[in-house]
Amino acid sequence: MTSQPIPPSSLPSFSKASEPMIKVEGLRKSFNGREVLKGISFEVFPGEMLAIIGPSGCGKSTLLKLITGLLEPDAGKITLNSEQIGLVFQGSALLNSLTVRENLALALRERKLPKREQDKAIMEDLTLVGLADYIDSFPTQLSGGQQKRTSFARAIVNDPQIILYDEPTTGLDPVMSTVIEDYMIELEKQLHAAGIVVTHQFSTWTRTAHRAILLNQGVVVWEGKPHEALNSTNPYIIQFAKATREGPMLAGKV
Amino acid sequence: MDRPNGITVANPLTLLDKYLGIVLQLVGQATIMFLQTMRYIFRGELSLSEAFRQANMIGLGSLYVVGVTGLFTGFAMSLQISKELAAFGADTAVGGVVALALIREIGPITAGVMVAGRVGSAMAAELSSMVVSEQIDALKIMRVDPVQFLVVPRFLAALVMMPALSIYSMFLGLGGAIFIAQAKANIPPETFLDSVKQTVVGTDFITHIIKSLVFATIIIFFSCSIGLSARGGAEDVGHATTRAVVWTMTIIFIVNYIITALSPLHAS
Amino acid sequence: MQASDAKKLAASPYLLVEDWVSIGVRLAGQVGIVIAKTFYYLLRLQIDWQESIRQAYFIGVKSFLIVSLTALFTGLAMSLQIAIQLVQFGGESAIGGVVSLALIRQIGPITAAIIVAGRVGSSIAAELTTMNVSEQIDALKVMRIDPIKFLVVPRFVGAMMMMPVLSIYAMFIGIFAGMVIALVYADVSFGVFLDSAKAMVIDQDFFVHFLKAFINAAIVIFYSCAIGLNTRGGAADVGNAVTRSVVWSMTVMFIVNYIVTDLTYEGPR
Ligand SMILES: Nc1ncnc2c1ncn2[C@@H]1O[C@H](COP(=O)(O)OP(=O)(O)O)[C@@H](O)[C@H]1O
Ligand SMILES: [Mg+2]
């Protein structure tokens, strides 16, 4: 699968004329004296989807938590041009004690909409991810893919200007992965938000992102367009995209 | 239960039926595990080094909780009893009354409840997370009996450590009681100890030790069987741990009374 | 964690004590923050009453059976010991008073508290840690919902509503057990028992009873919530959080119980 050439993306276009929606400069973060992120910088423009790729444990989730403010950086600067952020968690993170409707209503709570409008927004949102019939189900009654889609719906119910995905397809079967990727592309068209998708799944970053950056050992080792990845001379991205043992990654670790 | 939506009032009979079913199943599991454990012990199929390691953990893990609670129980008991009795001019009886209460009732039950909370819950947590991470399945595939491998050493360790912890708690409680009796009711430590010596008899210690051995058995077999019968994920580990605490404590309270009622009681 | 404890103890017992103290201080800090934020919302009356009543209901339902059993058997054991002593002195008529006093002031509140710590505190710690481990707490924060307001306040309010009910209930069961023992063991009729209780127990004792009930409930809720909201990791950590919440809330309750006894006890009457 990974050896096939990557088609140039057919994603909605965006322009770099405006201000970047997300701007990250020189970000550093340590846990217990071990530096996980060693100075990361990038920008994401409205309508653009940036993929952050890299091996497990390289700090991708940490990066998203820094952007959403769940963690404080040790150094560096994060500038966001909007307050409206949607985050799709790696494990869905739906509140198990609430129904699908109540989970979504929680995200809308700050808007203080009248009940009718709130219900309408929730219904529209669920229809978009194909879960209108499950509005009064509990998260534990849904399959893994359905939970994932519900957490999508929760992330976008506020019409965010920034949408972040943490490994949206990891652990799903290939067919469900494609379904989720299609939803992501569909949302890019509809929302025109700035997006970041964190993943190590080949199909996900090559299909949904305009641009990708590769992290290794806390630094950016490659940046470029997904369809250029395999033609690159950068040994890191060649190794990562071809999933081979030979290369600079994990050197000395295995 | 999963749906905390509306409040539905369950039929008390159904509830009782449900509880009875759970109790019978639980007692059954614990009893079977007890019998299996005894079989391994009588055949000598046990790992003393693992038991020693467990004893170390049980002792160290509970040292501080059992100590602090024992001490403050002694304080609270002595505060009220010494003032009351001193007012009647019965200074010389304080030590005996406090010591009897600590040795027969309050000491063992406090230590039992604290060890249930500390050790029982930790074992249920450990074993149930071994189940959900498929470590127990891995043992079974290697034809290792989880009861022999996990439960037997824990039981042996608890049988040794529980009386030790209980006596340690009792002595801290007595120390606390002597201190408070002097500080709050001007009863000198010698008077207190004389009264203890006159009142407490050998059978009180035997009752104390028997209680601690029985509590250790309850804690180990209920926590381990609850832990090993867990299924699912993180949430279920939490449920199993909670269940272990609740059941071991309840059963300790009940069995405590039974032993009290059966033991040769005498008045001071 | 325990294996490293063993190594530390071998090195120096002092190190181990230091460790407990530093864990205790950090936890006390976390509990302090939870308490401060909870009261911030309580004073502004930002309380979800519906959710609070639901929590009260669950606390009651979860604890009902186990409180009944423990109160009954504690009452039986206590009264048996007291009756034996008093019969020896020919003080049968005082059994009712002594048993009731002990149950109302000391044994009743601490038994109810132990049970609530074991039942309610441990399940709150399990629930909140599970939410934390599965990133549900992060999801709340991303939606700018304070977990304290959303999760802790209703549990606290619910516990404050339910605790006096459970406490009174436990007290009555315990005293009933005392009456049965007095009748069977010392031939003291219910009437004599109750007369003695009425003569000895005063309003102040009920005040102490409720004071302890409220304080113990608060300790259980705040410790279990603080531990739940500050524990991360995986399945094993959920179990460890339950253990920590039971151990710490019980330890703190025993200490506070003594302090309250000391402050409220006015000597013999
Ligand atoms: N809260 C935390 N405390 C300590 N270490 C952490 C914490 N969060 C993440 N780490 C560590 O930082 C590294 C990166 O984690 P993470 O961002 O989750 O990786 P990824 O999402 O790329 O797989 C890992 O080694 C992880 O153990
Ligand atoms: Mg991650």
Side-chain angles (χ1 to χ4, degrees):
Chain A
M1 172 179 92
T2 49
S3 54
Q4 283 167 14
I6 309 163
S9 79
S10 55
L11 295 170
S13 59
F14 68 95
S15 119
K16 290 197 179 184
S18 57
E19 286 277 289
M21 184 59 82
I22 305 170
K23 190 165 179 183
V24 171
E25 294 159 278
L27 209 56
R28 290 176 174 274
K29 180 73 186 171
S30 309
F31 291 114
N32 314 320
R34 196 169 61 90
E35 195 158 47
V36 174
L37 297 175
K38 304 173 185 166
I40 306 282
S41 305
F42 58 81
E43 293 176 345
V44 189
F45 290 88
E48 183 184 17
M49 176 73 85
L50 172 71
I52 296 179
I53 56 180
S56 294
C58 72
K60 304 184 297 294
S61 298
T62 305
L63 191 55
L64 290 188
K65 287 190 177 166
L66 289 166
I67 293 172
T68 49
L70 289 171
L71 288 175
E72 289 288 320
D74 298 340
K77 205 171 144 210
I78 299 167
T79 321
L80 303 179
N81 232 334
S82 166
E83 294 253 287
Q84 290 296 346
I85 306 177
L87 171 59
V88 178
F89 285 86
Q90 195 165 346
S92 295
L94 299 166
L95 276 82
N96 284 333
S97 58
L98 304 180
T99 61
V100 168
R101 183 203 301 273
E102 291 162 339
N103 265 288
L104 267 63
L106 213 52
L108 283 172
R109 160 205 50 107
E110 267 184 1
R111 287 222 206 140
K112 300 207 161 59
L113 296 175
K115 181 137 181 30
R116 283 251 307 284
E117 279 178 46
Q118 176 173 311
D119 276 348
K120 196 165 142 259
I122 291 174
M123 203 57 193
E124 272 174 15
D125 210 39
L126 285 174
T127 313
L128 190 68
V129 295
L131 286 175
D133 292 344
Y134 294 88
I135 186 162
D136 288 316
S137 305
F138 285 94
T140 47
Q141 297 167 333
L142 303 178
S143 71
Q146 289 170 332
Q147 288 183 10
K148 203 88 204 192
R149 276 144 66 199
T150 310
S151 84
F152 266 60
R154 179 176 70 179
I156 59 170
V157 71
N158 255 326
D159 303 326
Q161 301 287 296
I162 296 173
I163 180 152
L164 312 171
Y165 301 92
D166 193 353
E167 312 221 4
T169 50
T170 303
L172 298 180
D173 64 70
V175 176
M176 188 47 75
S177 291
T178 306
V179 171
I180 293 290
E181 287 156 10
D182 288 345
Y183 276 123
M184 292 169 66
I185 296 168
E186 180 63 28
L187 287 179
E188 278 175 62
K189 287 182 183 145
Q190 297 211 2
L191 288 173
H192 202 69
I196 296 181
V197 56
V198 152
T199 186
H200 50 223
Q201 192 148 317
F202 186 80
S203 66
T204 307
W205 62 274
T206 53
R207 287 192 65 215
T208 66
H210 298 91
R211 196 157 53 91
I213 61 178
L214 174 61
L215 295 189
N216 190 48
Q217 312 265 338
V219 292
V220 176
V221 290
W222 177 80
E223 174 167 2
K225 295 198 162 71
H227 69 270
E228 296 165 356
L230 288 172
N231 306 327
S232 166
T233 51
N234 180 308
Y236 288 95
I237 188 64
I238 293 291
Q239 184 190 2
F240 191 80
K242 289 191 173 164
T244 55
R245 295 183 61 144
E246 291 75 35
M249 279 192 193
L250 296 174
K253 265 200 188 173
V254 190
Chain B
M1 173 87 231
D2 263 330
R3 174 53 244 222
N5 189 7
I7 291 173
T8 48
V9 179
N11 177 350
L13 272 182
T14 340
L15 206 63
L16 189 69
D17 191 46
K18 198 185 102 195
Y19 270 116
L20 267 183
I22 295 174
V23 171
L24 286 181
Q25 192 185 350
L26 204 57
V27 172
Q29 283 172 342
T31 311
I32 291 172
M33 194 176 272
F34 175 74
L35 294 175
Q36 289 171 332
T37 303
M38 285 322 225
R39 198 186 60 198
Y40 284 118
I41 291 177
F42 281 124
R43 289 196 198 148
E45 294 175 19
L46 34 92
S47 153
L48 283 181
S49 62
E50 174 64 10
F52 186 77
R53 214 174 62 85
Q54 290 293 335
N56 207 346
M57 286 188 182
I58 294 175
L60 278 178
S62 324
L63 197 61
Y64 132 90
V65 267
V66 168
V68 171
T69 47
L71 186 66
F72 278 88
T73 310
F75 282 174
M77 295 258 322
S78 177
L79 179 68
Q80 222 149 343
I81 294 177
S82 24
K83 279 195 185 174
E84 298 281 348
L85 290 183
F88 294 117
D91 300 31
T92 51
V94 172
V97 175
V98 172
L100 269 191
L102 277 179
I103 295 174
R104 285 187 190 164
E105 285 301 319
I106 318 283
I109 196 105
T110 307
V113 164
M114 290 319 294
V115 173
R118 177 68 189 83
V119 174
S121 77
M123 283 182 187
E126 188 185 358
L127 297 193
S128 59
S129 50
M130 289 179 77
V131 173
V132 303
S133 60
E134 299 184 309
Q135 294 175 53
I136 301 292
D137 286 343
L139 283 179
K140 286 180 185 162
I141 286 169
M142 296 182 288
R143 293 214 189 74
V144 176
D145 181 359
V147 172
Q148 182 186 7
F149 187 72
L150 299 166
V151 182
V152 172
R154 281 169 176 73
F155 177 58
L156 289 176
L159 282 187
V160 177
M161 288 319 284
M162 188 74 206
L165 284 169
S166 204
I167 290 172
Y168 154 79
S169 155
M170 185 190 74
F171 274 112
L172 276 178
L174 269 183
I178 291 173
F179 171 76
I180 290 289
Q182 183 169 33
K184 301 269 178 183
N186 277 324
I187 298 170
E190 302 80 53
T191 315
F192 191 103
L193 284 174
D194 279 346
S195 164
V196 174
K197 278 178 218 148
Q198 278 169 24
T199 322
V200 176
V201 296
T203 51
D204 292 326
F205 280 104
I206 294 174
T207 309
H208 184 93
I209 303 282
I210 289 178
K211 279 189 178 178
S212 69
L213 291 174
V214 174
F215 294 167
T217 311
I218 293 171
I219 291 169
I220 297 300
F221 289 103
F222 279 89
S223 320
C224 289
S225 61
I226 288 173
L228 286 178
S229 50
R231 295 287 171 268
E235 198 171 359
D236 305 272
V237 172
H239 286 317
T241 315
T242 300
R243 286 182 68 206
V245 175
V246 171
W247 284 107
T248 49
M249 284 188 187
T250 313
I251 294 169
I252 283 177
F253 274 105
I254 296 174
V255 170
N256 177 63
Y257 169 70
I258 297 175
I259 301 177
T260 297
L262 294 178
S263 62
L265 293 164
H266 66 97
S268 53
Chain C
M1 179 189 128
Q2 287 178 340
S4 69
D5 274 1
K7 274 187 215 129
K8 272 187 202 139
L9 188 69
S12 151
Y14 172 73
L15 277 183
L16 196 59
V17 172
E18 195 188 55
D19 223 45
W20 285 330
V21 170
S22 72
I23 291 173
V25 169
R26 185 169 355 124
L27 186 57
Q30 291 167 346
V31 170
I33 292 170
V34 172
I35 293 177
K37 287 192 180 169
T38 305
F39 278 95
Y40 171 92
Y41 291 116
L42 287 177
L43 293 177
R44 276 166 186 68
L45 286 178
Q46 298 189 9
I47 302 167
D48 181 344
W49 287 105
Q50 203 189 335
E51 174 68 9
S52 301
I53 289 171
R54 222 181 70 189
Q55 291 295 339
Y57 172 80
F58 281 114
I59 292 172
V61 167
K62 279 177 186 166
S63 322
F64 178 75
L65 185 76
I66 155 166
V67 166
S68 318
L69 284 173
T70 42
L72 179 66
F73 284 94
T74 316
L76 290 173
M78 281 274 315
S79 334
L80 188 56
Q81 297 283 9
I82 292 175
I84 290 162
Q85 301 294 324
L86 290 178
V87 165
Q88 173 82 2
F89 294 124
E92 283 92 341
S93 61
I95 293 179
V98 176
V99 167
S100 311
L101 264 191
L103 281 175
I104 294 172
R105 294 192 68 120
Q106 282 292 349
I107 315 290
I110 198 85
T111 309
I114 287 172
I115 294 313
V116 172
R119 184 69 196 90
V120 177
S122 71
S123 70
I124 289 179
E127 186 185 0
L128 266 52
T129 312
T130 306
M131 291 182 73
N132 216 345
V133 165
S134 58
E135 297 187 302
Q136 294 177 46
I137 305 283
D138 279 348
L140 285 176
K141 289 183 188 161
V142 169
M143 295 186 283
R144 285 192 222 96
I145 296 173
D146 185 351
I148 308 262
K149 180 180 172 187
F150 189 74
L151 299 167
V152 182
V153 172
R155 281 168 178 73
F156 177 73
V157 175
M160 288 296 130
M161 295 196 261
M162 211 58 215
M163 197 62 198
V165 180
L166 283 174
S167 251
I168 296 189
Y169 171 71
M171 189 177 77
F172 275 115
I173 290 200
I175 291 177
F176 171 74
M179 287 161 61
V180 172
I181 289 283
L183 182 67
V184 173
Y185 186 84
D187 217 7
V188 172
S189 73
F190 286 4
V192 173
F193 186 101
L194 288 175
D195 282 344
S196 158
K198 274 182 224 148
M200 274 214 222
V201 178
I202 58 172
D203 290 350
Q204 154 97 6
D205 298 320
F206 288 100
F207 168 75
V208 173
H209 181 82
F210 286 119
L211 183 67
K212 284 186 174 177
F214 282 123
I215 292 177
N216 289 335
I219 292 172
V220 170
I221 298 292
F222 288 131
Y223 268 85
S224 56
C225 287
I227 288 172
L229 291 177
N230 288 291
T231 307
R232 302 220 139 224
D237 302 275
V238 175
N240 293 339
V242 174
T243 302
R244 288 180 63 210
S245 98
V246 173
V247 166
W248 280 100
S249 51
M250 285 206 220
T251 311
V252 173
M253 280 187 319
F254 271 86
I255 297 173
V256 171
N257 181 63
Y258 167 70
I259 296 173
V260 175
T261 305
D262 193 6
L263 293 180
T264 55
Y265 185 61
E266 292 165 335
R269 46 183 85 114

